[in-house]
Amino acid sequence: MQIEIDKGSGFCFGVTTAIKKAEEELATGDRLYCLGDIVHNTIEVERLHEKGLVTIDHRQLQQLHGAKVLLRAHGEPPETYDTAHRNNIEIIDATCPVVLQLQRRIKKQWQQPGANGASIVIFGKQGHAEVLGLVGQTNGEAIVVESLDDVKKLDFTHDIYLFSQTTKSLDEFHRIISYIQEHIAPGAIFRSFDTICRQVANRMSNIAAFARRHDLIIFVSGRKSSNGRVLFHECQHVNANSYLIERPEEILSEWFDGVDSVGICGATSTPLWLMEQCRDYIKHYSSEP
């Protein structure tokens, strides 16, 4: 049985940088906190926890003083930086440069003269860490839409400025753009800003091609990862014989009956070492008599 790990899967640039920063800080021996899971992958979070990384939430941040806190790649709203300054907290900022640029663009648009009455709309997942950071740039005034049904509820008589969470689907984003263009009132301004990360967006077509090449797909991802769900559904769309797992122990032997070729792939939050563990796990029991 042939087993191939997708070379295009694994950590994106932003996640790689955040984990590198965490490991560098932990190597100094200082106590390091992380605001939220550093990545949406339970196994990687556990690995860094064993090295000393302590995950906290925003409520715990309010009570922390004189500490060192890492901000993950997803980014944070301005209130988080205000709390850190107030509590004498040293920030290790690992916000992804793509997300940081998007935050600045949204804030600049929100601060434009005459912006009152205009809607700043963000295509993204409600409550997602990145989206919370983006909405925070507008003092909570931005409107988040998750689907075309949400878009239909917008007020098309006012100006609309559309942005997107960096990891959303390009196809969905373009469908939303087309709908707003068709329904925006005469005299109202509509502008869209393509803020989707190409390193992530390009994985859709790449992972579809990868899934077609194999009899069976093992998709390795944390179940909290929205990017993982999107990519896994793409695998399922082109190869019904696809399975989502979080750790090697979830792999079942009966999946491989009559299978000659296995592809292992994952989300932008999936470490390469975990996909390699899955490969070795399959090799181990497939070689047993």
Side-chain angles (χ1 to χ4, degrees):
M1 187 167 60
Q2 294 182 334
I3 305 171
E4 180 187 6
I5 295 176
D6 176 31
K7 292 182 175 63
S9 289
F11 290 156
C12 63
F13 169 78
V15 172
T16 299
T17 302
I19 289 175
K20 182 181 178 184
K21 284 189 176 186
E23 291 178 328
E24 287 173 351
E25 291 296 330
L26 290 169
T28 67
D30 292 344
R31 172 64 67 92
L32 179 64
Y33 297 91
C34 182
L35 188 55
D37 288 343
I38 190 168
V39 63
H40 289 150
N41 186 283
T42 304
I43 315 302
E44 181 67 2
V45 170
E46 289 172 356
R47 183 184 75 86
L48 290 169
H49 176 72
E50 289 173 2
K51 289 179 173 288
L53 187 64
V54 180
T55 303
I56 60 172
D57 57 28
H58 287 82
R59 180 185 57 81
Q60 292 168 311
L61 180 73
Q62 297 280 348
Q63 300 164 1
L64 206 60
H65 294 268
K68 190 180 289 188
V69 176
L70 182 136
L71 303 185
R72 56 196 178 165
H74 302 91
E76 285 291 325
E79 292 80 8
T80 297
Y81 295 88
D82 294 341
T83 299
H85 179 73
R86 206 165 45 242
N87 292 5
N88 191 32
I89 291 171
E90 180 185 348
I91 290 292
I92 309 299
D93 202 337
T95 303
C96 172
V98 178
V99 174
L100 197 58
Q101 182 184 38
L102 172 54
Q103 287 183 347
R104 289 169 178 158
R105 290 180 73 175
I106 288 175
K107 186 171 185 175
K108 182 179 179 181
Q109 184 63 56
W110 179 68
Q111 291 176 332
Q112 287 292 322
N116 288 341
S119 296
I120 291 183
V121 178
I122 299 169
F123 172 44
K125 182 183 176 185
Q126 285 278 6
H128 188 280
E130 180 188 327
V131 174
L132 292 175
L134 300 178
V135 173
Q137 308 305 314
T138 67
N139 199 28
E141 294 178 10
I143 300 168
V144 179
V145 294
E146 292 192 354
S147 65
L148 201 55
D149 285 340
D150 292 336
V151 176
K152 292 175 182 178
K153 299 171 187 174
L154 296 174
D155 183 352
F156 297 104
T157 64
H158 290 99
D159 297 349
I160 294 175
Y161 298 94
L162 177 68
F163 298 85
S164 175
Q165 180 182 340
T166 59
T167 54
K168 296 301 286 184
S169 161
L170 265 172
D171 289 342
E172 285 184 83
F173 187 60
H174 288 148
R175 279 194 289 271
I176 288 171
I177 291 172
S178 297
Y179 186 89
I180 297 175
Q181 285 173 335
E182 291 168 6
H183 292 83
I184 195 76
I189 296 170
F190 169 56
R191 288 190 185 138
S192 60
F193 304 88
D194 184 350
T195 53
I196 293 172
C197 175
R198 287 306 185 270
Q199 190 185 10
V200 175
N202 291 341
R203 293 194 182 192
M204 288 289 285
S205 56
N206 294 343
I207 212 161
F210 179 80
R212 287 189 188 97
R213 291 206 306 269
H214 298 282
D215 299 330
L216 180 143
I217 291 295
I218 299 293
F219 190 89
V220 190
S221 173
R223 290 185 169 87
K224 292 181 183 178
S225 170
S226 54
N227 166 257
R229 282 193 293 274
V230 170
L231 290 175
F232 174 63
H233 287 152
E234 185 66 16
C235 286
Q236 275 190 317
H237 179 69
V238 301
N239 187 335
N241 204 18
S242 298
Y243 298 90
L244 172 65
I245 64 163
E246 197 162 39
R247 58 185 76 226
E249 294 78 14
E250 296 175 14
I251 296 172
L252 301 179
S253 58
E254 55 261 34
W255 294 346
F256 302 97
D257 291 343
V259 168
D260 295 320
S261 173
V262 177
I264 299 174
C265 50
T268 56
S269 53
T270 303
L272 175 60
W273 64 261
L274 185 56
M275 290 186 283
E276 290 173 341
Q277 278 191 359
C278 292
R279 175 200 60 199
D280 296 343
Y281 187 88
I282 295 169
K283 282 183 175 180
H284 175 69
Y285 75 64
S286 65
S287 63
E288 292 179 348

